[in-house]
Amino acid sequence: MKALTITPAATQLPRPALRAEVIRLDKHRKGAFAVAGDKKKIAAYHWESVITAIRAIQGRGSESAAVDLFMRRAENGDLKPSVMDALAAVSVGKRMMPSRSTIFEKLAAYRDHGVDGLVKKHKGRIRIEGRWEGLALEIWSQSTSPEIAPIHRKLMEVHGFTVGYEQVRGYINALPATLGRMSPARIGRNAYRLSQKSFIRRCIDNLLPGDIYVADGYCADIYLAHPITGKLWRPELTVAMDLASRHIVHMRADEHEGTYAVQNMWAECFVKWNHVPLILYVDNGSGYFNHLMSDEMTGFYARSGVQEVIHAIPGNPHGKGWIERFFRTFKDDFLRVRWAAYCCADEQADEVKNHLVNEVKEGRIALPTLAEFMESVTAWLADYHGRAIPNQPALAKQTLWAQLQPVPPTVNLAVLKRRSEMRKVRRSAVVHMGREYSHPDLLAWNGQPVVLEYDLTDDKVAVIRTEAGDFICDAHLVKKVQQFSDNRLEDLRQKRLENQIKRKQKHLEEDIARAGRVFDAEALAEGALPALEGESQRIEGGDFSLDDFN
């Protein structure tokens, strides 16, 4: 067996590792300066400038003598302006410079830790919880949006906490924005999303005039004379805007923003400029989104040649911000200034609006007509179109709109205003809304579905087409139920009147029931029908149409 030889080197104890050989385990951590805020970083930079100036004075001499000489030069203003500014920035209160001891502390910290040692580590007074904070936050976050003073009183009077108003106010004001005054719990998630959260702004710089039309309705804040009754009336304006140029391509006034108003507005707009846009950007209202407008085969959008219809997200006004901005400009610049005497905007005092209503009812003020109002709107739009486009300040709306390259509609205005529905042929005839249309050519189509095109204002003839849109014949009216009028528009108005009567009758029944009275509903209805029928005949007998004013 070979003997183990022990050399002097083997008995030598392990030497300690050199400083250069030590691997720092926290090298991945960021220093105090890297994680500090902007204010603390700026203060550290100022201290570094002061220390650099002191070291330049010190050279190889004493640090204490260098500090004394630095402070004397600072008192005499003999330092560089940048150093004097840095010295004033790190001073506290009204002092000209920090104290001598503070300067030595910063010199030692910079020598040991570099710029990280110059970062202020004071974090303020640590707040002590008082057990009432959670309850205060719970009350503060209620949907009723309570104020601070009632919360403080409830904490003291109901829950028995000994807490000052300043403490409660300081705690609530220090809450983050998601829990603060405009938090989703206080104002609602939808209002928080619309008013506080960021949203994506769409870029429309590459659009050409006529690519996209945006449309919406607006109940005008103005009192006009109703075209039939002459009483107070606020018209419903349906407005279409070209998105690229912000040019108002059409505006129509109606009693409400229904399918009839929307379809006629689009038909008149397409024919007016001899152009059908690629895309329509509209909301989800009943006038824009329904079977008569949106059906892939018989809907107005498909028949007119529109390539795509985009419906905005419900409850999101940012989606149609361009047209909403126009409505605000229309109200502020036109209604509240040029029609101030008849304006009924929310910004007006109630007594002013009530005075106008009373004066009109007493006959001392005559309301303007719809024709006068629309004529004034047309004149104002001419000025509006001369203004600059928001995203192109050097270009006017009418200048860019003049670059439109029209894509003409394939049919005329009368055809665009027709409605279209699917019907099945039976015995060479098609029945729709109590009206029967017949033609000899329909015999070959018995039992098959066809497309019926009809005019709301004239029920004498209906156009029959195949599902592919090919013409079959013009079917003539051969039979009509007696209760129906000469055109479908009057039937729809009569139906709306009957529904209004039913709703008012329900309200009357509820009021009488609340009063504890018993009545005969049928007797009341029979007594009201003659008056209503007379009113209906008076309306039908007139030749009024809102189309006359658009």
Side-chain angles (χ1 to χ4, degrees):
M1 181 176 178
K2 187 176 180 181
L4 180 63
T5 304
I6 300 176
T7 63
T11 60
Q12 186 177 358
L13 294 175
R15 64 173 177 82
L18 297 176
R19 185 173 183 178
E21 297 174 344
V22 176
I23 300 175
R24 295 185 58 186
L25 298 179
D26 61 345
K27 64 179 181 180
H28 63 284
R29 297 179 182 175
K30 295 182 179 180
F33 182 81
V35 299
D38 293 338
K39 292 183 177 180
K40 291 186 177 182
K41 286 183 178 180
I42 294 173
Y45 281 133
H46 290 321
W47 269 115
E48 192 174 27
S49 300
V50 172
I51 292 172
T52 302
I54 293 175
R55 287 187 172 181
I57 296 174
Q58 177 183 354
R60 295 185 179 183
S62 168
E63 185 178 83
S64 176
V67 171
D68 293 337
L69 180 58
F70 173 83
M71 296 182 70
R72 285 196 299 272
R73 288 183 178 179
E75 291 178 356
N76 298 328
D78 294 336
L79 298 175
K80 294 181 180 179
S82 59
V83 178
M84 293 295 296
D85 293 340
L87 195 61
V90 297
S91 301
V92 179
K94 297 181 179 180
R95 293 181 179 180
M96 181 181 176
M97 68 183 76
S99 63
R100 191 170 184 272
S101 60
T102 302
I103 294 177
F104 277 109
E105 289 177 4
K106 293 298 182 180
L107 285 169
Y110 188 73
R111 183 170 53 249
D112 295 340
H113 305 288
V115 71
D116 288 340
L118 301 179
V119 177
K120 188 177 180 181
K121 298 179 177 58
H122 179 64
K123 297 182 179 180
R125 185 176 60 181
I126 299 177
R127 189 177 176 281
I128 301 175
E129 299 291 333
R131 295 192 301 174
W132 52 266
E133 290 83 359
L135 182 58
L137 179 59
E138 180 181 348
I139 303 173
W140 171 257
S141 300
Q142 292 176 354
S143 59
T144 52
S145 301
E147 293 297 329
I148 299 176
I151 296 175
H152 171 246
R153 285 193 290 268
K154 184 175 182 180
L155 291 175
M156 294 186 61
E157 298 172 359
V158 179
H159 300 283
F161 287 105
T162 303
V163 57
Y165 172 79
E166 298 296 334
Q167 290 178 279
V168 179
R169 187 182 67 174
Y171 170 74
I172 290 178
N173 289 340
L175 292 172
T178 53
L179 297 175
R181 185 172 296 276
M182 302 300 290
S183 66
R186 287 173 61 87
I187 66 175
R189 295 187 179 275
N190 187 52
Y192 179 79
R193 176 177 59 85
L194 296 177
S195 62
Q196 302 299 313
K197 294 189 69 175
S198 60
F199 63 94
I200 300 175
R201 296 182 181 273
R202 295 178 176 87
C203 179
I204 59 175
D205 295 338
N206 297 326
L207 287 180
L208 297 177
D211 281 351
I212 301 179
Y213 284 175
V214 186
D216 202 359
Y218 166 59
C219 186
D221 295 302
I222 187 173
Y223 286 132
L224 301 178
H226 192 279
I228 296 178
T229 64
K231 296 182 179 180
L232 290 165
W233 176 59
R234 292 177 60 185
E236 181 75 27
L237 302 179
T238 308
V239 182
M241 168 192 286
D242 174 63
L243 186 52
S245 64
R246 307 295 206 280
H247 190 279
I248 303 302
V249 292
H250 197 57
M251 179 183 293
R252 178 185 171 90
D254 289 274
E255 292 186 276
H256 58 90
E257 190 187 10
T259 305
Y260 177 76
V262 173
Q263 180 179 348
N264 284 337
M265 188 275 295
W266 285 130
E268 294 164 2
C269 176
F270 296 166
V271 173
K272 177 181 179 180
W273 301 103
N274 195 31
H275 174 71
V276 179
L278 292 173
I279 300 173
L280 298 181
Y281 194 92
V282 296
D283 62 14
N284 284 275
S286 59
Y288 299 95
F289 188 72
N290 56 69
H291 177 75
L292 293 171
M293 298 293 292
S294 307
D295 188 82
E296 295 182 358
M297 182 179 297
T298 62
F300 171 80
Y301 300 134
R303 292 187 294 111
S304 61
V306 177
Q307 299 300 310
E308 184 180 359
V309 179
I310 301 176
H311 294 278
I313 300 174
N316 182 34
H318 294 127
K320 306 188 305 299
W322 313 282
I323 194 75
E324 299 291 349
R325 175 70 261 184
F326 168 76
F327 289 150
R328 180 60 183 267
T329 303
F330 182 78
K331 182 175 75 170
D332 293 346
D333 190 30
F334 178 67
L335 296 181
R336 296 175 60 186
V337 176
R338 306 194 185 190
W339 288 85
Y342 306 99
C343 183
C344 56
D346 295 336
E347 292 79 4
Q348 283 186 294
D350 291 338
E351 58 266 23
V352 176
K353 291 185 284 188
N354 294 336
H355 175 72
L356 173 61
V357 172
N358 294 333
E359 291 293 300
V360 171
K361 290 182 178 180
E362 295 294 333
R364 289 189 287 268
I365 293 180
L367 291 171
T369 63
L370 179 60
E372 294 171 344
F373 176 72
M374 295 304 296
E375 182 180 357
S376 178
V377 170
T378 303
W380 177 80
L381 284 177
D383 299 332
Y384 175 78
H385 292 152
R387 301 174 187 175
I389 303 173
N391 59 326
Q392 302 182 55
L395 196 61
K397 299 178 178 65
Q398 59 189 8
T399 304
L400 182 58
W401 177 246
Q403 303 174 14
L404 171 70
Q405 297 181 358
V407 178
T410 57
V411 293
N412 58 26
L413 180 61
V415 177
L416 284 174
K417 287 192 173 186
R418 291 177 186 165
R419 291 189 176 183
S420 181
E421 293 188 31
M422 293 293 298
R423 283 292 182 268
K424 184 173 288 188
V425 180
R426 300 183 186 277
R427 296 186 179 183
S428 304
V430 176
V431 178
H432 179 258
M433 292 182 66
R435 296 167 174 83
E436 182 177 333
Y437 297 89
S438 181
H439 193 276
D441 292 346
L442 291 178
L443 179 62
W445 295 85
N446 277 340
Q448 299 185 37
V450 295
V451 178
L452 170 72
E453 290 185 3
Y454 59 93
D455 192 332
L456 283 175
T457 59
D458 186 5
D459 61 357
K460 300 295 188 299
V461 179
V463 181
I464 310 298
R465 300 183 184 274
T466 65
E467 292 180 302
D470 298 329
F471 177 79
I472 297 178
C473 65
D474 287 333
H476 293 268
L477 180 66
V478 296
K479 183 180 179 181
K480 180 170 63 175
V481 179
Q482 186 64 32
Q483 66 186 39
F484 293 105
S485 62
D486 293 337
N487 63 74
R488 292 177 176 83
L489 188 58
E490 291 298 334
D491 294 341
L492 295 175
R493 288 173 178 168
Q494 180 66 24
K495 185 176 181 180
R496 184 180 64 183
L497 178 61
E498 293 174 358
N499 291 333
Q500 290 175 345
I501 295 172
K502 290 180 181 179
R503 288 193 294 270
K504 291 181 180 180
Q505 183 175 338
K506 287 183 180 180
H507 293 160
L508 178 61
E509 293 175 0
E510 180 180 350
D511 292 340
I512 296 180
R514 289 178 181 274
R517 296 174 56 187
V518 180
F519 68 100
D520 187 355
E522 294 183 359
L524 288 176
E526 291 177 358
L529 280 176
L532 292 173
E533 290 176 355
E535 179 70 13
S536 175
Q537 292 174 2
R538 186 181 70 81
I539 295 176
E540 293 177 2
D543 56 354
F544 160 74
S545 174
L546 288 177
D547 293 337
D548 299 336
F549 304 97
N550 286 284

